[in-house]
Amino acid sequence: MRADATLRRAQRRRSYAPVVHDDAVLFRIPDEDEALSMVRLYQEVQRPRVGPGFLFDRTTKNWTLRFPRPGVDRMEYQFVLTHKAGGEEWIPDPGNPIRAAGPFGTKSVVEFPGYVTPAWTELDDVDPEAIAEHRIKSRTLRASLRILLWTSEGLDDDDPAPLLVAHDGPEYHELSSLLKLLHHKVVQHELPPMRAALVAPVERDQTYSASASYARALSYEILPAIERIAPMPHGRTMRVGMGASLGALAMLHVHRINPAVFGALFLQSGSYFRMRFDRQEAGFVRFGRISRFMGRVLTAEEWPHPIPVTMTCGRVEENLANNRATCEALRRQGYDVYLRENLDAHNWIGWRDTFDPHLISLLQRVWGTR
């Protein structure tokens, strides 16, 4: 039985939708032909990621799993089907219409009682004509970077305006609706007229891993090129950087290499790897380089150029320990830093759900309102 057959059966039998309680969720999947030898749950809220396994009831011809509620308000997941005829299949839950897109495929979503989708996500999308695509060449990286430049209403091309720079920027737009929120906050006079430069990565694992070459390229090639087409008022406070996961690490690294670049940082689920906290990541190609950089950050007793920093991290994330340690180190060094722990995991919707108020309040602190 392949995924399309599973989907057709689930559509005919609505009872196969997950049953969500305050303390657990019951998953069910039909197997009337007994074509499956195993069904497992893939999730990112606890280890192991693949598991636990479902139990098969020969009377009802159903595979079932009762999964205790983890410390989150929502959970993204997939089913892993092993076929008796051979082969393994990873599919969203065919009985659950709630989905979340992501760079590694679409996942199903359980929303536990108490979870509320931010109201702003129901507002109109940002005007596509307000977004211009550019390519910026970097001799240092020997590459051309894709940049999406968004300009809020009421700004002419030559009007100076504060700038938000986002690593993995196109994903922030497509998967977290970042520009939609910024647009409506400007329209509602909660933010000043502004621009956002959404920077796509080049070889993400290499350039976003405490790379000195990337820090130089962003500081001396990419940002100056952006500001030639997006003029900015004088002063580093008019430029704020943001990123998630390795993108957050890279923003912190750029700031420590060149403190004049950013006036504030919004860092989400940063991959601030150290062997003490992140032994499971030791096989990552640039673990050593990241660990050496973070060692310098964590052991410094002072820093001459502190700036406002807002951090977010999911309560069940493996990155939580290194985010807490980084927050404490920055606070000791004089940063105005705050860590928000939200009830989600390492994903684009979890990051989206912290934008308002945490990103907005940071921008208001450094830019004010209209």
Side-chain angles (χ1 to χ4, degrees), residues 123-141:
L123 298 173
D124 294 337
D125 286 330
V126 65
D127 183 355
E129 293 188 1
I131 306 170
E133 181 166 340
H134 300 270
R135 305 291 303 196
I136 294 179
K137 293 183 178 180
S138 167
R139 296 183 63 182
T140 301
L141 300 178

Side-chain angles (χ1 to χ4, degrees), residues 5-41:
T6 307
L7 177 59
R8 288 194 298 271
R9 286 199 173 101
Q11 289 172 337
R12 291 197 301 266
R13 301 177 63 183
R14 295 292 181 181
S15 61
Y16 290 119
V19 181
V20 181
H21 302 284
D22 286 335
D23 61 345
V25 56
L26 177 65
F27 296 108
R28 291 172 292 177
I29 190 166
D31 186 11
E32 296 176 3
D33 301 327
E34 299 190 30
L36 300 174
S37 61
M38 185 184 303
V39 177
R40 290 169 293 165
L41 181 71

Side-chain angles (χ1 to χ4, degrees), residues 45-81:
V45 298
Q46 65 182 37
R47 283 191 176 270
R49 298 298 188 223
V50 178
F54 287 53
L55 297 177
F56 184 64
D57 186 328
R58 293 187 178 277
T59 301
T60 62
K61 305 291 186 179
N62 289 338
W63 293 87
T64 62
L65 171 68
R66 184 183 184 277
F67 190 75
R69 178 176 180 172
V72 295
D73 283 340
R74 60 183 296 280
M75 182 178 79
E76 298 184 7
Y77 68 98
Q78 291 177 312
F79 292 155
V80 184
L81 311 181

Side-chain angles (χ1 to χ4, degrees), residues 47 273-291 318-319:
R47 283 191 176 270
F273 296 155
R274 292 286 285 166
M275 187 63 74
R276 174 184 174 189
F277 305 119
D278 309 291
R279 188 175 298 274
Q280 74 282 353
E281 299 286 355
F284 178 67
V285 63
R286 288 299 184 181
F287 183 91
R289 186 165 71 186
I290 293 173
S291 183
E318 291 177 343
N319 277 351

Side-chain angles (χ1 to χ4, degrees), residues 4 18 35 37 47 67 85 96 103 136 160 168 197 248 254 289 295 304 306 321 344 358:
D4 55 351
S37 61
R47 283 191 176 270
F67 190 75
N96 184 356
I136 294 179
D168 293 309
V254 170
R289 186 165 71 186
D344 209 317
H358 304 290

Side-chain angles (χ1 to χ4, degrees), residues 109-132:
V109 181
V110 164
E111 296 176 350
F112 289 101
Y115 174 74
V116 178
T117 302
W120 62 264
T121 62
E122 300 301 321
L123 298 173
D124 294 337
D125 286 330
V126 65
D127 183 355
E129 293 188 1
I131 306 170

Side-chain angles (χ1 to χ4, degrees), residues 112-349:
F112 289 101
Y115 174 74
V116 178
T117 302
W120 62 264
T121 62
E122 300 301 321
L123 298 173
D124 294 337
D125 286 330
V126 65
D127 183 355
E129 293 188 1
I131 306 170
E133 181 166 340
H134 300 270
R135 305 291 303 196
I136 294 179
K137 293 183 178 180
S138 167
R139 296 183 63 182
T140 301
L141 300 178
R142 300 179 181 178
S144 176
L145 281 76
R146 176 177 176 238
I147 310 290
L148 300 181
L149 181 65
W150 169 76
T151 303
S152 67
E153 291 182 5
L155 282 178
D156 293 329
D157 290 346
D158 57 353
D159 288 339
L163 180 69
L164 176 66
V165 181
H167 280 158
D168 293 309
E171 286 80 5
Y172 262 124
H173 171 48
E174 296 159 9
L175 303 177
S176 295
S177 303
L178 173 63
L179 296 184
K180 176 191 288 192
L181 175 64
L182 297 177
H183 164 70
H184 286 283
K185 291 298 182 181
V186 173
V187 169
Q188 294 161 3
H189 305 295
E190 296 182 42
L191 287 176
M194 59 169 290
R195 295 184 178 92
L198 308 184
V199 182
V202 176
E203 293 186 82
R204 188 174 190 274
D205 288 354
Q206 298 292 336
T207 55
Y208 284 0
S209 54
S211 164
S213 296
Y214 179 73
R216 290 194 302 272
L218 186 68
S219 300
Y220 301 115
E221 296 178 316
I222 300 164
L223 289 178
I226 291 172
E227 288 170 24
R228 284 193 287 272
I229 55 178
M232 193 186 77
H234 180 71
R236 71 174 185 177
T237 59
M238 292 294 102
R239 191 189 301 114
V240 174
M242 71 179 291
S245 193
L246 284 173
L249 166 80
M251 277 295 176
L252 179 62
H253 179 256
V254 170
H255 158 68
R256 299 290 280 218
I257 293 293
N258 188 349
V261 173
F262 294 111
L265 297 176
F266 185 71
L267 307 176
Q268 301 194 272
S269 304
S271 299
Y272 311 121
F273 296 155
R274 292 286 285 166
M275 187 63 74
R276 174 184 174 189
F277 305 119
D278 309 291
R279 188 175 298 274
Q280 74 282 353
E281 299 286 355
F284 178 67
V285 63
R286 288 299 184 181
F287 183 91
R289 186 165 71 186
I290 293 173
S291 183
R292 288 190 295 273
F293 164 66
M294 288 309 305
R296 295 191 295 272
V297 171
L298 295 177
T299 58
E301 288 301 319
E302 58 184 22
W303 179 255
H305 309 289
I307 59 176
V309 176
T310 295
M311 304 169 64
T312 76
C313 192
R315 186 69 59 83
V316 298
E317 287 193 52
E318 291 177 343
N319 277 351
L320 182 58
N322 64 51
N323 273 253
R324 287 174 173 172
T326 301
C327 181
E328 288 304 313
L330 296 181
R331 183 175 293 119
R332 184 181 67 247
Q333 295 160 23
Y335 286 76
D336 177 6
V337 60
Y338 166 73
L339 172 61
R340 164 65 177 177
E341 298 178 10
N342 61 306
L343 298 179
D344 209 317
H346 196 86
N347 61 69
W348 288 100
I349 299 301

